[in-house]
Amino acid sequence: MSVLNAFDLSDKTALVTGCKRGIGKAMAEALAEAGADIIGVSASLESSGSEVEASITSLGRSFSGYACDFSDREAVYRFVETVKQNHSRIDILVNNAGTILRTPAAEHSDEYWDKVMEVNLNAQFVLSREFGKDMIERGTGKIIFTASLLTFQGGITVPGYAASKGGIGQLTMALANEWAGKGVNVNAIAPGYIATDNTEALRNDPVRQEQILARIPAGRWGKPEDFKGPVVFLASEAANYVHGAILLVDGGWMGR
C-alpha cells in the first residue's frame, strides 16, 4: 500500500458529533473528502437541508443528519438505538460535540457543572462504549475525541469545562489501553485557541485577545480547516499504530 492510499477512507462510515459548524463541520467535510460517508449529529441539526449536508453531498458522499441533546442521557441512548437501526456499522466515531459555560468557580452552579460534564464527558463515554463494543466485535474501528488545551491546563472561569476535558484525556488513554489489542484505535485531538463560537467571548475581549495572540508562536488564531489533516490521519490506516495519543493542534501554544 502506498502512503497516500493509507489515508483513503472509501467504504467507511463516520459518525461526527457537533458537526453543524466550526471544527466538527470541518472534520466531517475532511472525512468525506477522504471518501467516507457521514452520519452527523448536533443539538439543533436539521434532519435534511443543512449546510453541512449540502457540503458533504457536493463531495459525492452520503449524509444522514440527526439532532440530539447530549445533556439528556435518555436522548443519547435513543440516538444510539436509532443509529444502530438505520446504519449497518460505524467505522469511525468522532466525539466532537461540546459546550462551555463561563463563571468564576465560586459562582459555578451545580446546573452549569452538571450540563458541561454530561455533554462533554458522560455522553461521549456512552457513545464510545456503545459503538466501541461493535468495533471490538468486528476487530477494527477508530474513535477520536476532541480534547482541549484545558486537558493539560486549568483555564480561567471554566472549572466544569476544564474538568471535563481533563477527563477526556484520561478516557482516551483508558479506552486505548483496553482496546488497542482488539483492533480499535482511540486517540484525541486537542485544539488550541480556534476562531469558533466557543471562543467568541475571548476574541471580543481586547485584553485577553492580545494576551492569547502574544503567546501563540504561529501568531494567529486557529481555523476549523486546521483540523482536516489531523482527523483524516487518525481516522485512517496511516494511524494504525497510534493509540492513546492526544494530538495538539495549537499553533505551538503548549510548547511555549
Side-chain angles (χ1 to χ4, degrees):
M1 176 187 297
S2 75
V3 68
L4 292 181
N5 287 340
F7 292 88
D8 185 7
L9 300 179
S10 297
D11 300 321
K12 303 293 186 183
T13 298
L15 169 56
V16 183
T17 73
C19 72
K20 187 172 183 177
R21 56 184 180 270
I23 293 172
K25 181 172 180 286
M27 286 178 167
E29 290 169 345
L31 295 170
E33 287 176 34
D37 292 320
I38 306 298
I39 302 167
V41 57
S42 290
S44 59
L45 183 67
E46 305 89 341
S47 59
S48 63
S50 67
E51 183 179 335
V52 65
E53 178 184 15
S55 179
I56 299 303
T57 55
S58 73
L59 295 167
R61 309 315 309 168
S62 70
F63 181 85
S64 300
Y66 297 90
C68 180
D69 177 1
F70 288 108
S71 68
D72 181 342
R73 184 75 61 89
E74 293 306 314
V76 173
Y77 279 112
R78 288 194 299 271
F79 169 68
V80 170
E81 183 179 1
T82 299
V83 170
K84 290 193 176 191
Q85 287 175 347
N86 294 345
H87 305 276
S88 60
R89 74 181 193 277
I90 303 298
D91 301 292
I92 302 156
L93 170 62
V94 180
N95 281 310
N96 171 72
T99 191
I100 189 167
L101 296 171
R102 300 178 185 276
T103 56
E107 303 163 18
H108 205 75
S109 67
D110 288 355
E111 290 76 16
Y112 271 27
W113 177 273
D114 290 345
K115 180 173 182 178
V116 171
M117 294 299 285
E118 197 66 37
V119 173
N120 292 6
L121 186 57
N122 298 346
Q124 299 200 28
F125 172 69
V126 170
L127 294 177
S128 299
R129 183 189 64 209
E130 295 304 310
F131 293 114
K133 65 178 66 175
D134 298 333
M135 294 177 180
I136 291 169
E137 185 175 342
R138 293 195 305 270
T140 183
K142 308 283 186 178
I143 297 176
I144 303 163
F145 291 97
T146 297
S148 169
L149 292 181
L150 299 195
T151 300
F152 311 97
Q153 301 176 317
I156 300 171
T157 71
V158 286
Y161 183 84
S164 70
K165 291 300 184 178
I168 286 296
Q170 294 300 113
L171 182 58
T172 298
M173 293 183 284
L175 296 182
N177 288 343
E178 292 193 36
W179 296 351
K182 299 177 181 179
V184 179
N185 297 75
V186 184
N187 295 289
I189 298 172
Y193 285 93
I194 313 301
T196 64
D197 292 349
N198 275 0
T199 61
E200 185 175 4
L202 294 175
R203 288 181 286 117
N204 290 338
D205 182 330
V207 175
R208 289 289 287 136
Q209 159 94 332
E210 184 177 350
Q211 290 172 339
I212 289 166
L213 280 177
R215 178 171 165 165
I216 301 174
R220 66 171 176 87
W221 288 75
K223 301 175 291 185
E225 291 75 18
D226 291 319
F227 295 85
K228 287 191 167 186
V231 77
V232 169
F233 167 61
L234 290 177
S236 74
E237 293 186 17
N240 277 355
Y241 199 59
V242 180
H243 295 277
I246 303 174
L247 176 59
L248 285 159
V249 182
D250 66 346
W253 174 280
M254 286 299 295
R256 188 63 178 263

